[in-house]
Amino acid sequence: MINKILNKKTLTKGDIITLLKTNKEDTIKLFKKANNIKVETVGNKVYYRGLVEFSNICEKDCFYCGIRKSNSNFEKYNLSDKEIIEAAEFAYKENYGSLVLQSGELKSEYFTNRIEGLLKGIKKVSNNKLGITISLGEQTEETYKKWFNAGAHRYLLRIESSNKDLYYKIHPKNKKHNFEERLECLKSLKKVGYQTGTGVMVGLPFQTYEDLANDLLFMKKFDIDMCGMGPYIEHEDTPLYKFKDELKPLKERFTLTLKMIAILRLIMPDINIAAATALQAIDPLGREKAMKIGANIIMPNITPGMYRDDYSLYQNKPCTDEEASDCKNCLEARITIAGSEIGYGEWGDSLHYKHNKYLE
Ligand code: SAH
């Protein structure tokens, strides 16, 4: 039966649920198929996006996240512009090709202007060579436009869950956390012209297989260019922690995330899919495993080491005691072992985006 599903042109929700529930033997078939499709469609290269988590200050209160506004049990930090630009210089010098700027969510004129200046600064120090992805939450279309014009060309905004009911179980139901608004933001990002990425957390409390299948179909319908999805990892200083005994074991959440990535590769062959860092919090070779079954993007952390401990969205975050240069050597070896090649110095843009542009 699995062979029949894997050879179908279009997968139904039922097919996806079957794939998500497959046993070990069939999972291997799914993974092989996903890897073949990846290599045939986007090739065997892995592209780097040096990740700068420049601040953990956040106005939101998401029930799963360790840096939520109501948690006072962590040190707040905000890198200086100089430190951020230095991280960009590091990425440029090391030929990473691209950078991701991510932080807690702030919405203010000051923040908008600060980011605009930083984007221009990064372009300048890299002679326009570094590609820039940003992941700075929900903003107005005007702000998205400003940042696009300043040099960012990819944006990551996870929908977290495409099921509205589940969305409100993992977020407070108020103005700052509005499902429709998040959707509108994703639409604005596409309209402005970004390569638009979204994603979900896998293994959330209350989440069903049907929810996960719907998440994948949502991404297909929304016609995203990129995806980053990772396992949900409980954090003891958050409200969702009280459901920890109802969660799937970490290893199961890990495998389920890999299955989600593999199925997404089947249904959207030419998009960019990131091997999320949270995978590595469960399995030291987590990201490499993801690359073998469909992922083609990796985000080496280049946040200066002294701050890494405090960007604790979830617990057991890997490599928080290292510096960017340590990560580089370690990662290169791991990727080579996983049988992929690194696209040094290349942007590695989403082919899907390019295909769509071509059709316009
Ligand atoms: N504030 C930005 C990005 C920062 S958070 C935004 O809103 O887009 C980046 C991602 O980390 C979130 O989208 C969420 O999916 C993930 N995350 C947060 N807490 C997590 C947890 N406990 N386990 C796994 N992933 C988590």
Side-chain angles (χ1 to χ4, degrees), residues 3 7 97 110 283 304:
N3 291 329
N7 286 319
Y110 171 78
D283 179 332

Side-chain angles (χ1 to χ4, degrees), residues 58 60 64-67 102-105 135-138 156-158 160 182 200-201 230-235 278 311 313-314:
C58 193
K60 291 200 144 186
Y64 43 84
C65 186
I67 62 167
Q102 192 180 74
S103 74
E105 202 165 307
S135 177
L136 306 169
E138 293 168 40
L156 280 175
L157 183 73
R158 288 187 179 177
E160 315 296 0
R182 206 159 175 90
V200 296
M201 282 174 285
Y232 163 68
I233 300 172
E234 63 274 26
H235 190 301
Y311 198 78
L313 309 173
Y314 45 84

Side-chain angles (χ1 to χ4, degrees), residues 104-135:
E105 202 165 307
L106 295 176
K107 232 176 163 172
S108 71
E109 206 182 318
Y110 171 78
F111 187 71
T112 303
N113 293 336
R114 181 184 182 207
I115 299 300
E116 187 184 21
L118 280 167
L119 292 168
K120 288 182 178 163
I122 293 167
K123 283 288 173 187
K124 199 167 152 202
V125 295
S126 70
N127 297 315
N128 279 324
K129 292 271 166 44
L130 271 183
I132 310 177
T133 307
I134 48 180
S135 177

